[in-house]
Amino acid sequence: MSAITLSGVHKWYGDYHALRNVDLDIAPGERIVICGPSGSGKSTLIRCINGLESHDQGRIAIGDEEVREDARALQRVRIRVGMVFQSFNLFPHLTIVENCMLAPVRVGEASPAEARERAHALLDRVRIGDQKDKYPGQLSGGQQQRAAIARALCMRPEIMLFDEPTSALDAEMVKEVLDIMTALASDGMTMLCVTHEMGFAREVADRVVFMDAGQIVEIGEPTAFFSAPKHDRARAFLGQLIH
Amino acid sequence: MSYVRTAPEAILPAPVVARPSLAASLFGDAASSLATVFITLVALAALPHLFAWAVTNGVWVGDGEACRDAGACWAFLRAKTPFILFGIYPEDERWRPMVAVGIFVVLTIWSLPRKHWTRATLFGWIAGIVAALLLMGGKTIGLTEVPTSAWGGLPITILLTVLSLALGFPAAVLLALGRRSPHPALRWLSTGFIELVRGLPLLSMLFVASIMVPLLLPDGVTIDNLFRALVALTFSAAAYLAEVVRGGLQGVPRGQEEAARALGLSWAQAMRLVVLPQAIRNVIPPLTNTVVVIVKNTSLVLVVGLFDLLSAGRVALSDPDWPAPYAETYLMIALIYFTICYAFARYALHLERTLGQVRR
């Protein structure tokens, strides 16, 4: 069964048609990079997948669990799908380890001791184990984003969504976050990344999805996509990027 | 000039910037010197009179006769303080309001350190409030019954303050959330309540609660006057606090709720564990402001015949055996209010500093 299924998905913001008849099938373990010009619907698409935005038409499913407007169904989806945001969105009033423990204890029914152990292991894995008792405001942007990745992983998701995870970072910190994401990909995590990091896409992605004006206009393997984009808009987009 | 350093520049200590001294701020230039001299002269002119009134001609012991044509009548306070503090509560039973006040003092001091902010402390407060009410009333626990109309002074002020805040604050949080809700009915209801209560003078609400409500009730049904005043105070507290909390909610980025929801937290959990703690931290200063106003607003219940501190003071002043020393009595009552409000403000400042350290 597909990890994520989207079929005939439409979404409007008022009169603005943000997603236009999007179809996509993602297999378990697959790594997808979504790229495209700003305003093309990339973020909207992945925010619909965990129900942060509701779609107006069509069907989205995580495995056999349909994403629909029902509190329990949405919670089941969100437990299975982790998300990392452009602006990190760590909880500033909690320490890093408390950020990681909150959802496992309150939602996942882990005991505090169990959640703490899990948090420590994952914080070590993203290489900020020594920062665990600090508050988010005391960490650099790169460290905060790695903490946010660990926080999402603490719920043991099957799928990870990344919404431009490196766009708010200084150039020097982009690599440390991408390294963590690459390591996660090589562990077999199903990943869906909206990113402008074409080097990452080339190295990690199984498929690159190119969006324009709310539609998927091209899907291809990275080598094919980057060397010979078929769609005019994709060619123009890639031409703008500095490699 | 060379633009590129071939050898590292030395790391230099920062230049010393002198902070203005007290002397400089008092006599730094002509204008401040003039202001300093002027204020000192005014103070020197007033102080001897004040000193003569309060100390030299002040009466410390004696009765009403001794106070006639004298300065400050401190002897009156000595005689009347128990009455001002406990009102017309029967003298033989005064230990009961004393214990009630003691319960609140102990609970307050216990609750100060953050590590005591637990569920157990919350239950302690509920138990303390119930115990104080039972003790003051007396009937339920086998003591002489004292009706609420005979309760008075400090216990009334404390009870009204604590209860209107304890009931008003949770209501305020719900109202603030309701006003931001996407559901129109909830939004209109919350907005309507807040705007209505905010737009009405508290005095008129107290009158409505104490005079109109009994007229509207069917025969034989009565609601305690103290309780009706409490409802009016709670409504007012809830409406004002709700707007402060709403201000705090607006300061929390949307991404916080989204991150919490994306982790699987329910809306209520996201609010309780993520959004509200940040929202309330952001508004500690205006919250303190509103709370202090609420504390002092409890004194308005004197218009509906309840004996809070202020009205007990006024009744004490009507004793014909004494020459009615208003200034002294109001000074003492003012001092009690000031102590409560100032202590609260200092504590809120402490919270602001310790909780506010963690910033984005």
Side-chain angles (χ1 to χ4, degrees):
Chain A
M1 195 192 312
S2 306
I4 308 174
T5 316
L6 294 99
S7 54
V9 173
H10 289 264
K11 162 88 186 162
W12 286 266
Y13 290 114
D15 287 335
Y16 179 69
H17 202 167
L19 291 179
R20 289 152 66 180
N21 199 19
V22 172
D23 293 313
L24 190 62
D25 243 357
I26 298 166
E30 207 177 1
R31 277 88 49 150
I32 305 284
V33 163
I34 305 177
C35 58
S38 68
S40 60
K42 315 177 293 283
S43 289
T44 306
L45 180 68
I46 73 165
R47 288 163 62 87
C48 282
I49 290 174
N50 69 348
L52 282 184
E53 305 280 353
S54 58
H55 53 288
D56 298 308
Q57 270 178 38
R59 178 174 181 273
I60 302 178
I62 305 302
D64 52 5
E65 181 78 56
E66 189 165 342
V67 181
R68 59 199 163 92
E69 300 230 21
D70 169 271
R72 285 174 187 282
L74 272 183
Q75 189 182 53
R76 284 195 296 270
V77 165
R78 287 167 177 163
I79 288 170
R80 294 169 68 176
V81 180
M83 185 159 190
V84 174
F85 298 84
Q86 178 177 352
S87 49
F88 328 137
N89 293 343
L90 289 172
F91 307 135
H93 62 302
L94 301 177
T95 62
I96 297 301
V97 69
E98 286 167 346
N99 263 276
C100 292
M101 290 167 62
L102 185 69
V105 171
R106 302 287 179 162
V107 183
E109 287 157 11
S111 72
E114 209 178 316
R116 186 176 296 275
E117 203 174 309
R118 204 189 292 175
H120 285 179
L122 284 161
L123 288 171
D124 283 339
R125 193 164 138 202
V126 300
R127 295 196 289 277
I128 47 168
D130 51 339
Q131 312 283 338
K132 63 179 163 35
D133 293 319
K134 290 192 178 166
Y135 285 93
Q138 297 167 292
L139 268 55
S140 74
Q143 290 172 324
Q144 288 193 46
Q145 192 59 297
R146 285 185 280 151
I149 294 174
R151 175 176 74 177
L153 291 175
C154 277
M155 288 299 283
R156 296 184 170 151
E158 304 157 25
I159 298 163
M160 284 287 282
L161 307 176
F162 293 85
D163 189 2
E164 303 205 26
T166 57
S167 299
L169 295 175
D170 288 342
E172 279 187 292
M173 294 167 183
V174 169
K175 187 176 179 298
E176 64 188 51
V177 170
L178 289 181
D179 284 348
I180 298 296
M181 291 169 61
T182 308
L184 198 59
S186 55
D187 289 347
M189 174 68 77
T190 308
M191 289 166 65
L192 201 55
C193 313
V194 173
T195 181
H196 299 297
E197 296 295 332
M198 291 305 134
F200 173 80
R202 226 186 277 263
E203 189 187 339
V204 172
D206 296 310
R207 283 190 291 167
V208 176
V209 170
F210 183 81
M211 290 187 72
D212 181 45
Q215 316 149 79
I216 295 179
V217 294
E218 186 163 349
I219 301 182
E221 291 185 359
T223 27
F225 176 76
F226 286 113
S227 54
K230 295 186 199 73
H231 197 270
D232 288 345
R233 193 67 189 79
R235 250 196 305 277
F237 179 77
L238 289 175
Q240 298 292 322
L241 296 177
I242 304 160
H243 294 288
Chain B
M1 200 192 292
S2 69
Y3 292 98
V4 178
R5 297 286 167 267
T6 49
E9 290 283 328
I11 295 172
L12 301 173
V16 180
V17 180
R19 290 172 59 188
S21 66
L22 181 62
S25 76
L26 288 178
F27 299 103
D29 52 35
S32 12
S33 306
L34 209 64
T36 306
V37 170
F38 179 71
I39 292 167
T40 313
L41 285 178
V42 170
L44 284 179
L47 270 179
H49 294 288
L50 193 64
F51 188 78
W53 175 77
V55 183
T56 327
N57 300 331
V59 178
W60 296 85
V61 280
D63 55 12
E65 267 323 297
C67 278
R68 303 237 180 257
D69 304 320
C73 186
W74 304 121
F76 175 80
L77 294 183
R78 186 187 282 250
K80 293 292 186 182
T81 293
F83 182 84
I84 295 172
L85 288 183
F86 302 113
I88 54 171
Y89 205 88
E91 269 188 67
D92 297 343
E93 304 287 340
R94 273 192 189 147
W95 63 273
R96 282 153 59 179
M98 282 187 210
V99 172
V101 170
I103 291 175
F104 285 114
V105 171
V106 169
L107 278 171
T108 305
I109 292 172
W110 166 261
S111 309
L112 292 181
R114 236 187 116 193
K115 65 171 189 288
H116 288 170
W117 294 3
T118 58
R119 209 168 284 251
T121 302
L122 181 67
F123 285 127
W125 272 96
I126 295 171
I129 291 170
V130 171
L133 288 172
L134 290 178
L135 193 62
M136 296 278 290
K139 194 180 176 193
T140 336
I141 52 173
L143 295 167
T144 325
E145 186 182 359
V146 179
T148 56
S149 54
W151 299 8
L154 191 57
I156 288 282
T157 297
I158 294 178
L159 268 175
L160 287 174
T161 302
V162 169
L163 283 173
S164 63
L165 285 174
L167 302 171
F169 190 74
V173 168
L174 294 180
L175 285 169
L177 292 172
R179 196 167 181 172
R180 289 164 55 88
S181 163
H183 303 289
L186 267 179
R187 200 169 57 240
W188 293 335
L189 212 62
S190 310
T191 310
F193 180 89
I194 292 169
E195 296 298 350
L196 182 70
V197 173
R198 257 199 327 181
L200 292 173
L202 178 55
L203 271 183
S204 73
M205 291 207 307
L206 284 167
F207 275 124
V208 168
S210 78
I211 296 160
M212 296 280 289
V213 171
L215 296 178
L216 299 177
L217 288 175
D219 286 342
V221 179
T222 56
I223 304 177
D224 193 276
N225 199 19
L226 181 64
F227 179 76
R228 281 181 273 139
L230 175 64
V231 170
L233 287 171
T234 303
F235 277 18
S236 156
Y240 282 101
L241 291 170
E243 286 298 277
V244 178
V245 173
R246 189 168 71 94
L249 287 172
Q250 279 170 344
V252 179
R254 260 188 77 83
Q256 290 292 312
E257 184 187 341
E258 286 180 353
R261 300 306 302 276
L263 284 165
L265 270 68
S266 67
W267 177 83
Q269 285 177 318
M271 288 300 131
R272 187 163 57 86
L273 301 168
V274 174
V275 176
L276 281 169
Q278 296 180 52
I280 288 166
R281 256 162 245 236
N282 290 343
V283 290
I284 291 177
L287 218 48
T288 311
N289 216 0
T290 310
V291 167
V292 165
V293 170
I294 290 166
V295 172
K296 290 179 296 177
N297 273 352
T298 58
S299 63
L300 292 175
V301 298
L302 103 150
V303 301
V304 295
L306 287 173
F307 282 96
D308 78 312
L309 265 182
L310 196 60
S311 24
R314 288 172 66 96
V315 172
L317 283 167
S318 64
D319 185 340
D321 291 344
W322 293 84
Y326 282 98
E328 297 84 331
T329 307
Y330 285 138
L331 265 177
M332 187 183 93
I333 294 168
L335 192 68
I336 294 173
Y337 274 109
F338 179 78
T339 308
I340 295 173
C341 294
Y342 185 68
F344 181 79
R346 292 305 300 187
Y347 179 64
L349 193 63
H350 161 76
L351 282 187
E352 190 188 328
R353 284 183 184 145
T354 50
L355 298 179
Q357 274 171 354
V358 187
R359 292 274 160 206
R360 225 171 300 282

PDB file of all heavy atoms in Angstrom, chain A residues 60-74:
ATOM      1  N   ILE A  60      -7.100  12.511   0.365  1.00  0.00           N
ATOM      2  CA  ILE A  60      -5.732  12.348   0.845  1.00  0.00           C
ATOM      3  C   ILE A  60      -5.772  11.234   1.876  1.00  0.00           C
ATOM      4  O   ILE A  60      -6.665  11.206   2.732  1.00  0.00           O
ATOM      5  CB  ILE A  60      -5.196  13.642   1.492  1.00  0.00           C
ATOM      6  CG1 ILE A  60      -5.240  14.811   0.495  1.00  0.00           C
ATOM      7  CG2 ILE A  60      -3.771  13.436   2.005  1.00  0.00           C
ATOM      8  CD1 ILE A  60      -4.772  16.139   1.080  1.00  0.00           C
ATOM      9  N   ALA A  61      -4.842  10.290   1.800  1.00  0.00           N
ATOM     10  CA  ALA A  61      -4.816   9.221   2.793  1.00  0.00           C
ATOM     11  C   ALA A  61      -3.381   8.913   3.186  1.00  0.00           C
ATOM     12  O   ALA A  61      -2.467   8.980   2.377  1.00  0.00           O
ATOM     13  CB  ALA A  61      -5.507   7.971   2.252  1.00  0.00           C
ATOM     14  N   ILE A  62      -3.220   8.605   4.481  1.00  0.00           N
ATOM     15  CA  ILE A  62      -1.942   8.131   4.996  1.00  0.00           C
ATOM     16  C   ILE A  62      -2.141   6.639   5.215  1.00  0.00           C
ATOM     17  O   ILE A  62      -2.882   6.241   6.107  1.00  0.00           O
ATOM     18  CB  ILE A  62      -1.608   8.812   6.337  1.00  0.00           C
ATOM     19  CG1 ILE A  62      -1.650  10.339   6.211  1.00  0.00           C
ATOM     20  CG2 ILE A  62      -0.264   8.320   6.870  1.00  0.00           C
ATOM     21  CD1 ILE A  62      -0.723  10.915   5.182  1.00  0.00           C
ATOM     22  N   GLY A  63      -1.495   5.795   4.390  1.00  0.00           N
ATOM     23  CA  GLY A  63      -1.816   4.367   4.429  1.00  0.00           C
ATOM     24  C   GLY A  63      -3.297   4.225   4.145  1.00  0.00           C
ATOM     25  O   GLY A  63      -3.791   4.715   3.137  1.00  0.00           O
ATOM     26  N   ASP A  64      -4.051   3.595   5.091  1.00  0.00           N
ATOM     27  CA  ASP A  64      -5.489   3.469   4.863  1.00  0.00           C
ATOM     28  C   ASP A  64      -6.293   4.483   5.674  1.00  0.00           C
ATOM     29  O   ASP A  64      -7.505   4.424   5.715  1.00  0.00           O
ATOM     30  CB  ASP A  64      -5.945   2.038   5.188  1.00  0.00           C
ATOM     31  CG  ASP A  64      -5.489   1.626   6.574  1.00  0.00           C
ATOM     32  OD1 ASP A  64      -4.923   2.480   7.288  1.00  0.00           O
ATOM     33  OD2 ASP A  64      -5.680   0.449   6.933  1.00  0.00           O
ATOM     34  N   GLU A  65      -5.589   5.406   6.313  1.00  0.00           N
ATOM     35  CA  GLU A  65      -6.278   6.394   7.142  1.00  0.00           C
ATOM     36  C   GLU A  65      -6.541   7.660   6.347  1.00  0.00           C
ATOM     37  O   GLU A  65      -5.606   8.357   5.965  1.00  0.00           O
ATOM     38  CB  GLU A  65      -5.406   6.725   8.355  1.00  0.00           C
ATOM     39  CG  GLU A  65      -6.019   7.718   9.317  1.00  0.00           C
ATOM     40  CD  GLU A  65      -7.072   7.072  10.209  1.00  0.00           C
ATOM     41  OE1 GLU A  65      -6.745   6.093  10.893  1.00  0.00           O
ATOM     42  OE2 GLU A  65      -8.224   7.555  10.186  1.00  0.00           O
ATOM     43  N   GLU A  66      -7.827   7.931   6.080  1.00  0.00           N
ATOM     44  CA  GLU A  66      -8.136   9.105   5.289  1.00  0.00           C
ATOM     45  C   GLU A  66      -7.979  10.387   6.113  1.00  0.00           C
ATOM     46  O   GLU A  66      -8.324  10.420   7.287  1.00  0.00           O
ATOM     47  CB  GLU A  66      -9.565   9.014   4.752  1.00  0.00           C
ATOM     48  CG  GLU A  66      -9.848  10.104   3.756  1.00  0.00           C
ATOM     49  CD  GLU A  66     -11.120   9.826   2.952  1.00  0.00           C
ATOM     50  OE1 GLU A  66     -11.569   8.654   2.923  1.00  0.00           O
ATOM     51  OE2 GLU A  66     -11.643  10.775   2.373  1.00  0.00           O
ATOM     52  N   VAL A  67      -7.413  11.435   5.489  1.00  0.00           N
ATOM     53  CA  VAL A  67      -7.282  12.732   6.145  1.00  0.00           C
ATOM     54  C   VAL A  67      -8.602  13.472   5.967  1.00  0.00           C
ATOM     55  O   VAL A  67      -8.960  13.851   4.861  1.00  0.00           O
ATOM     56  CB  VAL A  67      -6.127  13.556   5.524  1.00  0.00           C
ATOM     57  CG1 VAL A  67      -5.988  14.902   6.234  1.00  0.00           C
ATOM     58  CG2 VAL A  67      -4.824  12.782   5.590  1.00  0.00           C
ATOM     59  N   ARG A  68      -9.360  13.608   7.057  1.00  0.00           N
ATOM     60  CA  ARG A  68     -10.655  14.271   6.955  1.00  0.00           C
ATOM     61  C   ARG A  68     -10.899  15.080   8.219  1.00  0.00           C
ATOM     62  O   ARG A  68     -10.170  14.965   9.205  1.00  0.00           O
ATOM     63  CB  ARG A  68     -11.764  13.227   6.732  1.00  0.00           C
ATOM     64  CG  ARG A  68     -11.845  12.212   7.849  1.00  0.00           C
ATOM     65  CD  ARG A  68     -12.603  10.961   7.407  1.00  0.00           C
ATOM     66  NE  ARG A  68     -12.340   9.865   8.312  1.00  0.00           N
ATOM     67  CZ  ARG A  68     -13.075   9.580   9.377  1.00  0.00           C
ATOM     68  NH1 ARG A  68     -14.126  10.302   9.654  1.00  0.00           N
ATOM     69  NH2 ARG A  68     -12.762   8.578  10.175  1.00  0.00           N
ATOM     70  N   GLU A  69     -11.947  15.895   8.172  1.00  0.00           N
ATOM     71  CA  GLU A  69     -12.209  16.807   9.289  1.00  0.00           C
ATOM     72  C   GLU A  69     -12.884  16.073  10.433  1.00  0.00           C
ATOM     73  O   GLU A  69     -14.069  16.217  10.657  1.00  0.00           O
ATOM     74  CB  GLU A  69     -13.082  17.977   8.813  1.00  0.00           C
ATOM     75  CG  GLU A  69     -12.413  18.772   7.722  1.00  0.00           C
ATOM     76  CD  GLU A  69     -12.426  20.267   8.004  1.00  0.00           C
ATOM     77  OE1 GLU A  69     -12.585  20.657   9.178  1.00  0.00           O
ATOM     78  OE2 GLU A  69     -12.262  21.034   7.053  1.00  0.00           O
ATOM     79  N   ASP A  70     -12.103  15.311  11.151  1.00  0.00           N
ATOM     80  CA  ASP A  70     -12.628  14.592  12.298  1.00  0.00           C
ATOM     81  C   ASP A  70     -11.480  14.554  13.301  1.00  0.00           C
ATOM     82  O   ASP A  70     -10.382  14.100  12.976  1.00  0.00           O
ATOM     83  CB  ASP A  70     -13.051  13.183  11.888  1.00  0.00           C
ATOM     84  CG  ASP A  70     -13.356  12.311  13.079  1.00  0.00           C
ATOM     85  OD1 ASP A  70     -12.418  11.668  13.590  1.00  0.00           O
ATOM     86  OD2 ASP A  70     -14.511  12.279  13.503  1.00  0.00           O
ATOM     87  N   ALA A  71     -11.718  15.073  14.495  1.00  0.00           N
ATOM     88  CA  ALA A  71     -10.623  15.281  15.441  1.00  0.00           C
ATOM     89  C   ALA A  71      -9.811  14.005  15.674  1.00  0.00           C
ATOM     90  O   ALA A  71      -8.585  14.021  15.669  1.00  0.00           O
ATOM     91  CB  ALA A  71     -11.168  15.825  16.752  1.00  0.00           C
ATOM     92  N   ARG A  72     -10.518  12.868  15.847  1.00  0.00           N
ATOM     93  CA  ARG A  72      -9.790  11.629  16.149  1.00  0.00           C
ATOM     94  C   ARG A  72      -8.990  11.136  14.953  1.00  0.00           C
ATOM     95  O   ARG A  72      -7.848  10.705  15.088  1.00  0.00           O
ATOM     96  CB  ARG A  72     -10.776  10.539  16.586  1.00  0.00           C
ATOM     97  CG  ARG A  72     -11.264  10.774  17.988  1.00  0.00           C
ATOM     98  CD  ARG A  72     -12.356   9.777  18.355  1.00  0.00           C
ATOM     99  NE  ARG A  72     -12.915  10.130  19.646  1.00  0.00           N
ATOM    100  CZ  ARG A  72     -12.312   9.853  20.806  1.00  0.00           C
ATOM    101  NH1 ARG A  72     -11.164   9.216  20.813  1.00  0.00           N
ATOM    102  NH2 ARG A  72     -12.862  10.211  21.944  1.00  0.00           N
ATOM    103  N   ALA A  73      -9.629  11.215  13.778  1.00  0.00           N
ATOM    104  CA  ALA A  73      -8.935  10.765  12.571  1.00  0.00           C
ATOM    105  C   ALA A  73      -7.695  11.627  12.328  1.00  0.00           C
ATOM    106  O   ALA A  73      -6.611  11.105  12.015  1.00  0.00           O
ATOM    107  CB  ALA A  73      -9.871  10.832  11.370  1.00  0.00           C
ATOM    108  N   LEU A  74      -7.857  12.949  12.522  1.00  0.00           N
ATOM    109  CA  LEU A  74      -6.716  13.842  12.317  1.00  0.00           C
ATOM    110  C   LEU A  74      -5.597  13.546  13.306  1.00  0.00           C
ATOM    111  O   LEU A  74      -4.426  13.575  12.954  1.00  0.00           O
ATOM    112  CB  LEU A  74      -7.150  15.300  12.471  1.00  0.00           C
ATOM    113  CG  LEU A  74      -7.677  15.987  11.221  1.00  0.00           C
ATOM    114  CD1 LEU A  74      -7.990  17.441  11.517  1.00  0.00           C
ATOM    115  CD2 LEU A  74      -6.671  15.883  10.088  1.00  0.00           C
TER     116      LEU A  74
END
